Amino acid sequence: MASTDDAEPPKSDALKAAAKHQVPGEEAAEHLLKLTKVGRPFHKDTADLFATFITAIELKPHRLFFRTYPRSFSTDEAVQTLTKIKFSQSTRTPDPEAPTTFITTTTNFVFSMTRLVALDLCQHFMDARYIRNALDPSLNLFKDRSLHSLTPKGLHVLERFIEKNGIDADHFQDVLESEIICPKLFHVERGAEEDNIIFPYNDIIALFRWFVGQQPNYASKSGANLVPLQQYSKQSKGISLVNITDRSGRGSSRGVQRPQCFDAVDALEWLCDFTSVGGRDEAAEVAAHFERLGLISLVGNPDKWKNHAIIFTVYGSPDDLDYDLMARVSTTQGEFRCVNKAYYEITDKGRRIAGWGSNPDANMSQASSTFDRVSDDNTLVLDDEKAVEGSKKQVTSSDRLHYILKEQSYRSLFRSFLQEKFCEEHILYWLDVDSINRKFNVTSSAIAGSDNNAVKADRRKHHQALLRKAVHIYSSYLHPTSQYELNTNYTLRNELFKSLDSIPQARGHGGASLEDRKARIMSFNAEQLQ
């Protein structure tokens, strides 16, 4: 966890959560959760705490008001889990003195907090759109005596956390396979000291293109007939746009048609759902920078919402003028009004930046963007200067293959191609080996409570899962006559069999058959699995 913040603590008594960090053989160190000036935990800590909490709690059906809510949790269950969580992580590294052996280091984190702090932390999870009210998804308040479920954004964060920390997530397979998961999340850049969002010009432009999409995303007339997955897929393509009539001008009874407009509150919700902002306040700050750079503009009279709208004002650097080659005039101040029925329109400059062209009635099929996708953490980045530099670097076939294997959408196409060529076993083998390598290098578990015996039992369960995975790889790809037998080198195959046959014989398994070798692998100590 982060170290204690030297700044004066916020007035709210929120989130004084303690984390004890202990490595076996060393004295435990206690840290307080580091907070921003407004009392919010740092973004990375919030995401890690959320994922740790979800891996420790049981998602199960709950019945309330004659209706069943699958894969949900109650407020009381959330509080009981958060007040005492133990997170254990084991890392394995080769021994410098004996490269054939591994050194295992186990680190334990124990989180403790009061009920009030746990409730406040859950509210931050809801503000960041990691969870939602199962009874009323439009409600942004973490209520007592209610039920809650995971959002597509929350599942995205959870999936990356499980993959990164090597958590045995067999009990989450039903959730990950049956629920909608956000495929891509735009990660905004943050300052290291105060965790505030940093807004360089290129990042604002990249985020704006992510926000509006590659082409205008008009609301569908048949939207009510779409299934949830289709609705979410359409929503993820960009903010929903409408054409409105502006009658705010004097002497104009018929009004002026304004194309490509969006509701202010809808924009905040979209940014919360598809970017890493921590709440509506940060989303409004992002939108205000769009207005500052002239990418969007308010429709109608600004004074109309002056008395009952929350107005976010941001200030930019004059250095942006050096990058802003598309505008003759720019401003260093921007405002965004957060109120229903306040509409903003995409300006001509915004259309050019998005690649739509200045004419909103033009053919939108020629829309383009210069996103550079980074698949390791699913972050989208745009940097025109870096793009130019990157174009000079020669891209090898190995680089292309690595990118295809890491990017899920391209990997699916590549797998279909291999199926047509009758060699699908190669990518299946790579996926299984990549999975066991990640889980072997880092093993983590999270449980409610601080029972050491429960942690050890969970770790043994994880080790057994690793061994079962090794058995699956051997029986599926390496054993003669296996279903997806690989065309491996004869010498390498013999070395593998000799290595397996050298394992001390399990009782009743002294041969070289498939079942005998499976038993030998399962008799491994997990630290022997290499």
Side-chain angles (χ1 to χ4, degrees), residues 31-239:
H31 305 280
L32 292 180
L33 196 63
K34 193 171 183 180
L35 307 178
T36 64
K37 290 182 179 180
V38 297
R40 176 191 292 134
F42 274 34
H43 171 262
K44 186 180 184 305
D45 291 342
T46 303
D48 288 346
L49 262 174
F50 159 75
T52 303
F53 155 65
I54 294 300
T55 54
I57 199 171
E58 181 183 3
L59 299 177
K60 58 185 180 181
H62 290 79
R63 189 167 181 81
L64 188 64
F65 301 133
F66 308 104
R67 182 178 174 184
T68 300
Y69 298 89
R71 297 177 288 277
S72 60
F73 60 90
S74 67
T75 300
D76 288 339
E77 290 171 345
V79 171
Q80 291 173 6
T81 302
L82 279 171
T83 50
K84 204 70 172 180
I85 298 181
K86 186 162 187 176
F87 180 76
S88 177
Q89 184 175 84
S90 298
T91 56
R92 298 181 182 89
T93 55
D95 188 345
E97 298 180 357
T100 58
T101 61
F102 285 79
I103 298 175
T104 302
T105 304
T106 302
T107 306
N108 297 322
F109 295 86
V110 180
F111 301 91
S112 59
M113 61 190 77
T114 65
R115 176 181 174 85
L116 181 62
V117 171
L119 289 171
D120 203 7
L121 188 58
C122 287
Q123 182 60 57
H124 284 289
F125 294 159
M126 185 165 281
D127 291 340
R129 299 302 187 274
Y130 296 152
I131 61 176
R132 61 189 169 199
N133 190 295
L135 282 65
D136 182 7
S138 64
L139 186 65
N140 292 325
L141 179 65
F142 189 81
K143 295 181 62 177
D144 203 358
R145 300 179 182 178
S146 189
L147 298 178
H148 314 277
S149 60
L150 301 183
T151 65
K153 180 179 177 179
L155 285 167
H156 174 99
V157 173
L158 175 65
E159 189 178 43
R160 298 303 179 270
F161 182 83
I162 289 174
E163 181 178 333
K164 178 181 177 181
N165 293 282
I167 294 175
D168 185 20
D170 291 343
H171 58 296
F172 281 110
Q173 284 303 115
D174 176 59
V175 179
L176 296 176
E177 291 176 359
S178 58
E179 296 289 338
I180 300 173
I181 302 178
C182 178
K184 290 286 184 182
L185 201 64
F186 192 105
H187 290 262
V188 295
E189 185 179 353
R190 294 179 180 270
E193 295 297 326
E194 298 181 357
D195 200 52
N196 58 304
I197 299 180
I198 300 175
F199 290 100
Y201 176 78
N202 284 329
D203 286 3
I204 301 174
I205 297 301
L207 184 48
F208 175 74
R209 286 175 169 169
W210 179 244
F211 172 70
V212 297
Q214 295 187 357
Q215 57 185 359
N217 186 22
Y218 277 99
S220 174
K221 295 181 180 179
S222 59
N225 299 324
L226 299 177
V227 299
L229 180 59
Q230 292 174 321
Q231 291 177 350
Y232 186 82
S233 177
K234 179 172 177 55
Q235 184 184 8
S236 66
K237 294 179 181 179
I239 184 65

Side-chain angles (χ1 to χ4, degrees), residues 392-513:
K392 299 177 182 178
K393 179 182 176 182
Q394 185 176 3
V395 179
T396 65
S397 298
S398 178
D399 294 333
R400 294 190 183 95
L401 178 61
H402 180 77
Y403 181 81
I404 289 172
L405 292 174
K406 288 294 183 181
E407 189 71 24
Q408 183 177 1
S409 56
Y410 294 141
R411 190 170 64 232
S412 298
L413 294 173
F414 185 49
R415 180 175 176 177
S416 299
F417 168 77
L418 293 178
Q419 283 178 332
E420 295 176 358
K421 301 299 180 182
F422 303 101
C423 53
E424 183 188 8
E425 65 274 7
H426 295 289
I427 193 170
L428 295 176
Y429 174 74
W430 182 90
L431 290 171
D432 284 336
V433 171
D434 182 65
S435 173
I436 197 173
N437 281 338
R438 283 187 280 104
K439 291 184 178 181
F440 174 76
N441 293 329
V442 181
T443 301
S444 304
S445 62
I447 62 169
S450 56
D451 186 0
N452 288 327
N453 292 329
V455 174
K456 292 178 181 178
D458 192 68
R459 191 178 299 135
R460 284 195 297 269
K461 178 183 175 183
H462 186 89
H463 290 167
Q464 288 297 311
L466 283 176
L467 295 174
R468 286 194 297 271
K469 190 72 172 178
V471 167
H472 167 74
I473 291 175
Y474 173 76
S475 60
S476 299
Y477 308 106
L478 303 175
H479 185 77
T481 70
S482 59
Q483 181 181 4
Y484 299 106
E485 184 181 1
L486 295 175
N487 185 17
T488 55
N489 180 274
Y490 176 79
T491 303
L492 180 62
R493 182 187 292 266
N494 280 345
E495 289 180 357
L496 171 65
F497 292 160
K498 288 180 181 179
S499 177
L500 288 176
D501 293 340
S502 66
I503 300 172
Q505 294 181 3
R507 180 179 298 179
H509 296 278
S513 66

Side-chain angles (χ1 to χ4, degrees), residues 322-334:
D322 297 333
Y323 293 95
D324 197 359
L325 304 178
M326 303 184 71
R328 297 179 179 178
V329 180
S330 185
T331 178
T332 58
Q333 176 179 330

Side-chain angles (χ1 to χ4, degrees), residues 208 211-213 216-218 239-242 258-262 290 294-299 343-354 356-358 360:
F208 175 74
F211 172 70
V212 297
N217 186 22
Y218 277 99
I239 184 65
S240 180
L241 301 176
V242 295
R258 302 287 187 181
Q260 298 169 353
C261 300
F262 59 86
F290 294 163
L295 306 175
I296 61 175
S297 63
L298 181 66
V299 176
Y343 283 91
Y344 283 80
E345 68 173 332
I346 312 296
T347 63
D348 288 342
K349 177 186 173 182
R351 297 184 189 103
R352 291 194 298 269
I353 288 289
W356 299 352
S358 59

